[in-house]
Amino acid sequence: MKSLLVKASNWKLILFFLVFFFGCIYLFLSYADELNVLAGEDAPIIDLRSDYDEAEISDFFTKIQQDGREIHQYVTGVVDMVFPFAYGPLYILLLALLLKKITSSTSNWLYLSLIPVLLMITDYIENFNTLELLNTYPDLTTEMVTSASQVTGIKALLGDVCMYLILLLAVVWLVKWFMGRKG
């Protein structure tokens, strides 16, 4: 696994997944704009929330109406099922690249680069929860919404952990690189 991480963490693959990532973001934003128009206000899709309750989700689903729920279902069932394959490899490859530059190509620290796999798994669980909410509406239960909200919160936390880890490692690498040039 380590050798695969070392070999794959190159700028060509990172650039490919970066373009893929921004393509997915573009689609998310386009559909989010459609939902905002249908709702008549800024109505973030479930993925962009950090938590919610039954009243919020019912109100959101009511505001976006049937057309909006169908759009949301498409975004969740198609676009967001592909998105983890954009950001997951991107984060993994960035982390592996930074870790091999900070440590070495043989370091066990490279396994830290696999943390985004947890984010990807959680994103899929969230997607299935969201699809269940959309399919169950208007017969939502507090338990169903609470459980889905908790998974969304965990996903948000894991997303933050991945981003902060990338930023932290980038700073460490830059400091190491600068110190190497200076000395």
Side-chain angles (χ1 to χ4, degrees), residues 4 7 10 14 18 42 52 55 66 75-76 80 82 94 110 122 133 142 146 148 154 159 171:
L4 177 62
K7 188 174 181 176
N10 62 66
I14 290 172
L18 188 64
D42 186 29
Y52 46 84
Q66 181 63 33
V75 170
T76 303
D80 202 19
V82 172
L94 282 171
L110 284 168
T122 306
L133 294 174
T142 303
T146 301
I154 293 168
V171 168

Side-chain angles (χ1 to χ4, degrees), residues 85-130:
F85 290 103
Y87 71 74
L90 176 63
Y91 293 175
I92 290 167
L93 295 174
L94 282 171
L95 288 167
L97 179 70
L98 291 166
L99 285 164
K100 77 180 181 185
K101 287 186 177 288
I102 292 167
T103 61
S104 74
S105 297
T106 59
S107 172
N108 285 333
W109 286 103
L110 284 168
Y111 291 117
L112 265 179
S113 65
L114 297 175
I115 289 174
V117 172
L118 295 172
L119 174 60
M120 295 170 69
I121 292 167
T122 306
D123 197 356
Y124 274 103
I125 295 168
E126 179 193 45
N127 292 344
F128 290 121
N129 286 339
T130 300

